[in-house]
Amino acid sequence: MAKNTSTTLTLMWFRDDLRLSDNPAFHEAATRGSVLPIYLWDERSEGLRSLGGASRWWLHYSLASLAERLTSVGCPLHIVTGAAAEVIPAIAAASGAVACVWNRRYGQAERAVDTAVTTRLQGMNIETKTFNGTLLHEPGEVTPKAGGSFKVYTPFLRASLALGPPGHPLAAPKTITAHDGPLELPGKTSLEGLGLLPTAPDWSAGLRDTWQPGEPQAQKLLHGFLEGGLRRYGEDRNRPALPASSRLSPHLRFGEISPRQIVTLARHAGADGTASGEQVEKFVSEVIWRDFAYLLLTSHPDLADKPFNAAFEKFPYAKASPTHLRAWQTGQTGYPIVDAGMRQLWKTGVMHNRVRMITASFLVKHLLLDWRLGEQWFWDTLCDADPASNPFNWQWVAGSGADAAPYFRIFNPTLQGEKFDPDGDYVRSFVPELTRLPARWIHTPWAAPRDVLAAAGITLGKTYPQPIVDHDAARLRALAALADMRQAEQAEA
Ligand code: FAD
């Protein structure tokens, strides 16, 4: 593309929006004149949550893909490190930019950083312009008629839908004019210089086999899903062995695709009869959960640290048992559906939604461990670890969240397994020790007759663990803990 040293240089600050199409900030930059695209790796600004291992892995390849795309249009990406409030203004000054644009973020620390950058840039007479490139509707847009903020999902969903379609997605800019001045950028480094990939040891083989980060692959996945899984999404989305959901979450997390693109194309698929309107709207309502999580993160910035429902501050969690926590993390609980989920997570960097609910519930209720321990583990191991969706969903399962599942509803992992993985295919794909166990016993190996276990090559306690807790006893202990919390609450009232 053309190169230019005109006075209209705009700094495009990429963050959680690593794509060229339907990227409002990038579109703005490209329309104004020449563009200087920057990605800043900021581990210095106060309060930003450090990315987990799987997310770092994803980010490396996502940046590589973005850099390749930008290079192919003649507008290379510059990777820099440092504290945003220092580095971004310094780059603007060094490059002679007249404006800086970005898509908004919603965490408290991120907003504080963005405010500090804005103040500095404006003090230098550099214009700033920000956009919504991440959500269908931003928190302030979806509000109850009576004022305040939504705390329950269904009315939020209704209000969000009532706002109408989120506008037409923007195509990737056709022409991009690159900055062509002398460039000595402060904080400049290379992708490799960020050291995002695991080396000692390199545990990422399963992630490499499962995923291809980047905008082109996100688009491919979406189109494949619209022509495949979407048709039976409502019926099959809870079946972990089926390819029924979109698998777009890590791509969405890093902004390689926008929710607006997803929802618009899903509705097109409904309009042209590829899928029924009912399936499409079920899928859209799941995407809107993400907006709801961001609303909650905005109103409760401590979502990952503090229970949304303050009564749960007093919940009598068991003293953290390293043995139980380790068994849960490594998929050695003796409950096949839980173990399959935790091993899927470790191997592939994601876990099916239904199984996330089962494993999270197991940690919080069967093991009576604090939900924050689970949230932190997911944060480190999920490629889609999201600052809003992860704590929001953990609190939902733990009963302390907004519109949460009531704590007293305790999943029975055996029944959940039998219902959602009836043939045991999901369990078999992640728990190889149980491969030869017939479907009848796959979710209850401890109850299988000896000869069945022997024929399947299983010695309980040796090749596969006995259950680390008894379901009925664990359930009663969890309900007693809930009663204790209620009592403490009443005593204080
Ligand atoms: P699809 O069924 O195809 O849904 C499409 C999109 O809708 C998803 O990609 C996601 O962006 C959004 N979505 C669907 N369900 C939810 C939900 N419950 N909450 C928020 N957004 C949703 N999702 C994350 O993106 N990041 C997380 O860190 C995360 N942590 C979770 C932790 C727990 C304990 C639980 C129970 C759920 C968590 N989820 C998280 C939500 C959900 O499990 C994933 O979004 C989903 O499994 C992704 O698969 P998919 O892309 O095939 O989803």
Side-chain angles (χ1 to χ4, degrees), residues 87-276:
V87 175
I88 295 293
I91 291 176
S95 61
V98 297
C100 182
V101 295
W102 63 79
N103 293 308
R104 289 186 281 275
R105 300 180 291 189
Y106 303 92
Q108 190 174 42
E110 286 80 359
R111 281 184 282 148
V113 167
D114 293 356
T115 304
V117 173
T118 305
T119 308
R120 292 259 180 111
L121 289 174
Q122 287 175 352
M124 296 159 66
N125 272 334
I126 294 173
E127 186 190 349
T128 58
K129 205 162 174 191
T130 71
F131 300 84
N132 169 18
T134 301
L135 301 174
L136 287 169
H137 298 291
E138 291 186 303
E141 286 177 66
V142 190
T143 46
K145 283 201 181 95
S149 182
F150 285 110
K151 293 190 178 62
V152 177
Y153 182 63
T154 308
F156 172 84
L157 171 67
R158 257 189 251 122
S160 173
L161 292 172
L163 289 176
H168 204 70
L170 303 162
K174 285 212 170 62
T175 50
I176 301 163
T177 311
H179 175 64
D180 198 19
L183 269 184
E184 279 291 321
L185 292 188
K188 177 102 177 156
T189 185
S190 63
L191 179 55
E192 285 66 33
L194 299 182
L196 297 172
L197 295 179
T199 49
D202 175 4
W203 40 258
S204 62
L207 273 58
R208 282 197 300 275
D209 291 346
T210 312
W211 297 106
Q212 195 180 333
E215 184 177 7
Q217 188 59 18
Q219 289 292 336
K220 206 166 144 193
L221 263 188
L222 173 62
H223 285 94
F225 170 69
L226 297 179
E227 282 151 26
L230 181 60
R231 286 167 219 247
R232 287 186 48 84
Y233 181 77
E235 294 81 8
D236 292 347
R237 57 182 284 274
N238 275 310
R239 299 278 302 274
L242 301 179
S245 69
S246 72
R247 302 180 71 243
L248 281 166
S249 54
H251 298 281
L252 260 169
R253 158 66 184 89
F254 288 94
E256 298 166 359
I257 192 164
S258 74
R260 181 160 72 171
Q261 290 174 316
I262 295 174
V263 164
T264 305
L265 287 191
R267 289 207 168 119
H268 284 175
D272 70 18
T274 310
S276 74

Side-chain angles (χ1 to χ4, degrees), residues 67-82:
E68 192 184 313
R69 282 171 68 69
L70 282 166
T71 301
S72 75
V73 293
C75 191
L77 179 69
H78 297 268
I79 295 182
V80 295
T81 58

Side-chain angles (χ1 to χ4, degrees), residues 42-54:
D42 184 353
E43 291 217 294
R44 304 244 321 266
S45 297
E46 214 181 304
L48 297 180
R49 192 172 184 185
S50 212
L51 287 193

